[in-house]
């Protein structure tokens, strides 16, 4: 593993070196071309240009090499100035100040290079042609101007490259931050969803054990049968309450078992009607959603033989799984753990599905669950 890691690091390092060299070659080439173009534009009618390509190839080659050497020198000085300023005065701190200082240093650096090279050439060469002072200062000024233009172009190139790299880095960091935030949000939603699922267990126990204790006191045999059915239903709850979604067919089978408990517990005080079309039974809903809605309907409405509570489970024309019950509110509201309908709505919201629709009229209360 160590050798593989070393090889990968070497490959990455070599790629960076190659990329830096390519960038350097581009900058040198731009500087060299700029030197010739700007020198020509300053005085396109200079007789030198008329005879330039008539010179021997050795002279032209020597001239190109000198221009290339000069271009490399000014390019490296310009790059050095930009790098120093990137550390000492980054663009993000004071943009205007950075721009003015960068331009000033590039101009000063360009002038110093011309002065140094001109001084060295004057001191070391004894074969330079004689020319009048006016012509000499004119050529020197053209050289300085060309040098300044090259420096500023290279500086602009480096600045754009620097800003693009920082923009890419900022964009990547923003994307990573967004991804981390999304993961944290997803983890928080998962934790919240799990907490909502766990609420189902005490809710189920709270409503049924109280009934079981009453049945045992009234009829021990009936209480025993009820406890057996309750154990089967609760086993189903334990298996499926941890799932996010479940097939409608499975949920209906569970509801049938749950209805048995209700019929033993209430008798003729509640009437059930199941009318779910076959085409929707293969679709999905939330686990225990029907049980919670039925439980809520019974918990908050009157159930008597003379005026039974009607609970209708069906599929609507819009393809929704609906639980509708007659509205027979109790005079005295019973104690409730208060997680039934709220639990279902919260789970739909966390999972990113459409929210259930609640419809209430004077005589009916309906909850429509979007099928998945």
């Amino acid at each position: 593993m160590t050798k593989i890691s070393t090889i990968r690091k070497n490959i990455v390092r070599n790629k960076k070196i190659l990329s830096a060299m390519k960038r350097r070659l581009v900058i040198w080439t731009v500087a060299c071309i700029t030197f010739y173009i700007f020198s020509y534009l300053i005085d396109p009618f200079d007789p030198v240009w008329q005879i330039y390509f008539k010179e021997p190839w050795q002279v032209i080659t020597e001239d190109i090499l000198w221009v290339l050497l000069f271009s490399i020198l000014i390019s490296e000085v310009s790059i050095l100035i930009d790098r120093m300023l990137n550390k000492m005065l980054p663009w993000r701190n004071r943009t205007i100040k950075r721009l003015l200082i960068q331009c000033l240093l590039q101009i000063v650096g360009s002038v110093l290079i011309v002065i140094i090279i001109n001084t060295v050439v004057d001191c070391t060469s004894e074969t330079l042609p004689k020319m009048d002072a006016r012509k000499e200062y004119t050529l020197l000024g053209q050289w300085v101007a060309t040098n300044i233009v090259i420096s500023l172009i290279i500086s602009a190139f480096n600045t754009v490259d620097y800003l693009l790299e920082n923009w890419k880095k900022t964009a990547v960091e923003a994307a990573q931050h967004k991804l981390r935030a999304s993961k944290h949000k997803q983890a928080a939603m998962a934790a919240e969803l799990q907490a909502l699922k766990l609420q189902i267990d005490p809710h189920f126990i709270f409503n049924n054990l109280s009934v079981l204790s009453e049945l045992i006191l009234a009829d021990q045999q009936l209480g025993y049968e009820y406890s057996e059915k309750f154990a089967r239903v609760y086993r189903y709850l334990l298996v499926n309450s941890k799932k996010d979604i479940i097939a409608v067919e499975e949920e209906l089978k569970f509801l049938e078992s749950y209805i048995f408990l209700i019929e033993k517990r209430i008798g003729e005080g509640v009437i059930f009607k199941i009318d779910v079309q076959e085409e929707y039974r293969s679709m999905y809903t939330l686990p225990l959603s029907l049980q919670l809605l039925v439980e809520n309907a019974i918990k908050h409405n009157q159930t008597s033989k003379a005026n039974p509570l009607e609970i209708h489970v069906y599929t609507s024309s819009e393809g929704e799984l609906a639980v509708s019950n007659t509205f027979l509110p109790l005079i005295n509201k019973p104690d409730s753990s208060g997680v039934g309908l709220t639990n279902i709505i919260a789970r739909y919201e966390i999972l990113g599905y459409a929210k259930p629709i609640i419809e209430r009229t004077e005589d009916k209360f309906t909850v429509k669950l979007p099928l998945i």
Side-chain angles (χ1 to χ4, degrees):
M1 292 297 291
T2 305
K3 289 183 179 179
I4 294 175
S5 177
T6 304
I7 293 172
R8 287 178 178 174
K9 288 180 180 179
N10 290 334
I11 292 173
V12 172
R13 186 173 64 252
N14 292 336
K15 285 183 178 179
K16 288 182 178 180
I17 293 173
L18 184 61
S19 177
M21 286 303 300
K22 287 181 179 178
R23 183 174 174 274
R24 278 290 202 286
L25 289 174
V26 170
I27 292 175
W28 296 345
T29 304
V30 169
C32 190
I33 294 173
T34 303
F35 182 89
Y36 276 108
I37 292 175
F38 195 77
S39 297
Y40 175 78
L41 292 176
I42 286 178
D43 190 2
F45 301 105
D46 192 324
V48 173
W49 297 111
Q50 298 177 9
I51 63 172
Y52 184 78
F53 292 105
K54 295 179 182 180
E55 296 283 353
W57 66 269
Q58 294 91 341
V59 175
I60 296 176
T61 303
E62 183 180 354
D63 183 72
I64 292 173
L65 290 175
W66 276 109
V67 171
L68 180 60
L69 179 62
F70 176 74
S71 299
I72 292 173
L73 178 62
I74 194 172
S75 299
E76 292 304 313
V77 171
S78 180
I79 292 171
L80 179 63
I81 291 172
D82 287 344
R83 283 185 174 178
M84 289 174 59
L85 288 176
N86 287 341
K87 294 179 180 179
M88 299 172 62
L89 188 64
W91 282 99
R92 61 178 177 272
N93 293 345
R94 295 182 180 179
T95 307
I96 302 299
K97 183 178 180 180
R98 163 64 190 267
L99 179 62
L100 294 175
I101 292 176
Q102 180 169 308
C103 290
L104 179 62
L105 289 178
Q106 293 290 353
I107 293 171
V108 171
S110 302
V111 173
L112 288 176
I113 290 174
V114 171
I115 293 173
I116 292 170
I117 292 177
N118 191 60
T119 303
V120 171
V121 171
D122 285 342
C123 295
T124 58
S125 179
E126 298 177 355
T127 60
L128 289 174
K130 295 283 185 177
M131 64 178 67
D132 59 79
R134 185 177 179 183
K135 179 67 174 177
E136 185 176 355
Y137 285 122
T138 300
L139 291 175
L140 187 62
Q142 291 176 353
W143 191 10
V144 170
T146 303
N147 205 8
I148 290 173
V149 169
I150 294 173
S151 295
L152 293 178
I153 289 176
I154 294 171
S155 180
F157 181 87
N158 290 330
T159 300
V160 171
D161 184 66
Y162 172 81
L163 294 177
L164 283 175
E165 285 297 323
N166 275 268
W167 175 76
K168 289 179 183 178
K169 184 178 178 181
T170 303
V172 170
E173 289 177 352
Q176 290 176 345
H177 177 74
K178 188 175 181 180
L179 181 62
R180 286 194 297 268
S182 177
K183 288 182 178 179
H184 289 323
K185 184 178 180 181
Q186 187 176 7
M189 290 173 63
E192 185 178 353
L193 178 60
Q194 188 61 28
L196 288 170
K197 289 176 181 178
L198 293 175
Q199 284 181 337
I200 296 173
D201 293 3
H203 181 255
F204 183 79
I205 296 172
F206 177 85
N207 286 301
N208 285 278
L209 287 184
S210 58
V211 174
L212 178 58
S213 60
E214 294 176 4
L215 288 176
I216 292 174
L217 292 174
D219 187 337
Q220 290 187 358
Q221 182 60 33
L222 183 58
Y224 174 77
E225 293 177 5
Y226 188 91
S227 65
E228 285 290 312
K229 295 293 183 181
F230 175 70
R232 293 180 184 178
V233 172
Y234 189 70
R235 190 180 301 112
Y236 181 89
L237 184 148
L238 289 175
V239 172
N240 293 284
S241 65
K242 302 300 183 291
K243 296 179 181 179
D244 290 339
I245 57 175
I246 193 170
V248 173
E249 181 69 30
E250 293 297 318
E251 184 71 1
L252 289 173
K253 288 180 180 179
F254 168 72
L255 182 62
E256 290 174 1
S257 300
Y258 182 68
I259 288 174
F260 171 83
L261 299 181
I262 294 175
E263 289 175 343
K264 294 298 181 181
R265 162 178 145 195
I266 298 175
E268 298 179 4
V270 61
I271 299 174
F272 288 96
K273 183 180 179 182
I274 310 296
D275 186 19
V276 177
Q277 298 177 23
E278 192 66 33
E279 60 185 290
Y280 296 112
R281 290 176 177 257
S282 59
M283 298 184 73
Y284 290 84
T285 186
L286 301 191
L288 309 171
S289 54
L290 296 181
Q291 177 258 329
L292 286 173
L293 292 177
V294 169
E295 185 68 24
N296 271 2
I298 296 171
K299 191 72 176 178
H300 298 286
N301 290 278
Q302 300 177 36
T303 55
S304 63
K305 185 177 180 180
N307 190 16
L309 175 68
E310 297 180 9
I311 300 177
H312 186 194
V313 180
Y314 63 97
T315 45
S316 66
S317 57
E318 291 79 18
E320 299 160 320
L321 185 60
V323 178
S324 179
N325 61 271
T326 50
F327 192 54
L328 305 169
L330 295 168
I331 298 175
N332 297 319
K333 293 184 178 180
D335 294 332
S336 173
S337 56
V339 298
L341 186 56
T342 303
N343 181 289
I344 295 172
I345 294 173
R347 281 196 287 158
Y348 265 99
E349 185 176 1
I350 289 174
L351 290 171
Y353 300 120
K355 292 183 180 180
I357 300 172
I358 301 173
E359 297 176 354
R360 181 179 298 175
T361 62
E362 293 184 0
D363 58 350
K364 278 191 179 297
F365 182 83
T366 304
V367 178
K368 295 180 178 180
L369 304 176
L371 289 175
I372 302 165

